[in-house]
Amino acid sequence: MFKQTEFIVFQHDQGTTDQVDSWSSKKEALARIVEIKNDMARHPDFYYHLANPCWTIEKRLVTYHE
């Protein structure tokens, strides 16, 4: 068993919250948000279903059992 800090990215839009993914550093999590925003700018048709998305990062201590 070991514990690890993870930074989890959540996407919020139209009253819903979805977990995007988790990373071991806040820098990686922020980079993913920037990547999503850039992709939205390049391919707006793919994100037509999103009205006004925003993202948050939550820091969690996760325990893994081997």
Side-chain angles (χ1 to χ4, degrees):
M1 176 174 74
F2 68 96
K3 295 182 180 184
Q4 178 179 334
T5 301
E6 291 188 353
F7 295 87
I8 302 167
V9 174
F10 292 95
Q11 178 177 288
H12 311 277
D13 187 50
Q14 301 180 51
T16 63
T17 299
D18 297 312
Q19 182 175 332
V20 176
D21 209 341
S22 63
W23 290 267
S24 58
S25 75
K26 189 171 184 178
K27 183 177 179 179
E28 291 173 307
L30 288 169
R32 178 61 179 134
I33 293 171
V34 169
E35 183 180 322
I36 293 169
K37 288 180 177 182
N38 289 339
D39 195 50
M40 287 177 70
R42 283 187 297 247
H43 308 287
D45 292 343
F46 183 73
Y47 297 94
Y48 71 91
H49 61 287
L50 299 175
N52 190 22
C54 65
W55 295 266
T56 58
I57 298 173
E58 183 177 307
K59 180 179 177 181
R60 287 188 189 167
L61 185 61
V62 179
T63 303
Y64 292 97
H65 301 277
E66 295 183 273

